[in-house]
Amino acid sequence: MTPRARIATLLAAGSLTAHHALTNYDTTTAVRVKGTILAFAGINPHTMLFIEGAGPDGQTRRWAVEGPAMLQLQRRNFKTDALKPGAPVEVCGYLPKEPIVWQLATKEQGAISQSGRLLNGEMMIFPDGTQQTWGDYGVHKCFAPGFTDQHVSK
């Protein structure tokens, strides 16, 4: 491998690590938003769930909840058919340290783009009380004390 190829490989690896880290998020406090699903986008590298609901300040707004790739959801047997517009849902996750509005553009003529305040989702709670892991970076402040998975040594 040439020196230039090594540098390019290292730069690419660094950007991938940064992209998948939570360093830009406030992981000291889990945020819960209860609302109604507006749209679900099963795109890569991260799925996006757009909901309208009240956040920690009590204000109702649109939220863009970042989730894992579709392949990860499929591996977890996550039923994305439950993410239909109009369905109630509660999400728990982490806000960016700086408020960010995320927008998903569309190619359709005259269609309105989906947008909302970004929230990195960790858990979803459905109306029947079922909790489902949504995104998993190993923080787990959305789950009850004692929760364990592959990130927590037993």
Side-chain angles (χ1 to χ4, degrees):
M1 185 180 278
T2 68
R4 278 192 181 164
R6 282 189 198 125
I7 290 171
T9 302
L10 288 173
L11 289 174
S15 69
L16 286 174
T17 302
H19 174 79
H20 289 95
L22 286 175
T23 56
N24 293 328
Y25 292 86
D26 177 5
T27 57
T28 62
T29 306
V31 172
R32 290 182 180 266
V33 176
K34 196 173 203 174
T36 303
I37 296 173
L38 300 172
F40 171 69
I43 56 177
N44 282 317
H46 297 278
T47 55
M48 295 299 290
L49 179 68
F50 294 92
I51 66 173
E52 188 167 84
D57 60 3
Q59 295 271 31
T60 297
R61 67 169 48 101
R62 288 187 176 201
W63 297 87
V65 184
E66 184 178 17
M70 283 298 293
L71 181 59
Q72 290 175 320
L73 290 176
Q74 291 166 353
R75 287 179 179 161
R76 292 183 196 143
N77 293 318
F78 192 99
K79 308 294 183 214
T80 56
D81 57 342
L83 305 176
K84 293 183 176 137
V89 71
E90 182 177 351
V91 295
C92 182
Y94 309 97
L95 292 172
K97 291 175 183 171
E98 299 290 326
I100 296 172
V101 173
W102 192 263
Q103 183 172 12
L104 184 63
T106 179
K107 294 189 288 187
E108 296 176 30
Q109 187 74 18
I112 298 172
S113 297
Q114 292 293 334
S115 65
R117 175 135 187 233
L118 186 61
L119 177 72
N120 189 292
E122 179 175 74
M123 178 177 64
M124 213 169 275
I125 304 113
F126 293 97
D128 66 359
T130 303
Q131 296 181 355
Q132 177 80 44
T133 300
W134 178 245
D136 190 0
Y137 289 98
V139 179
H140 304 312
K141 289 196 168 83
C142 291
F143 294 93
F147 175 82
T148 60
D149 70 354
Q150 75 272 15
H151 297 112
V152 180
S153 59
K154 297 177 183 179

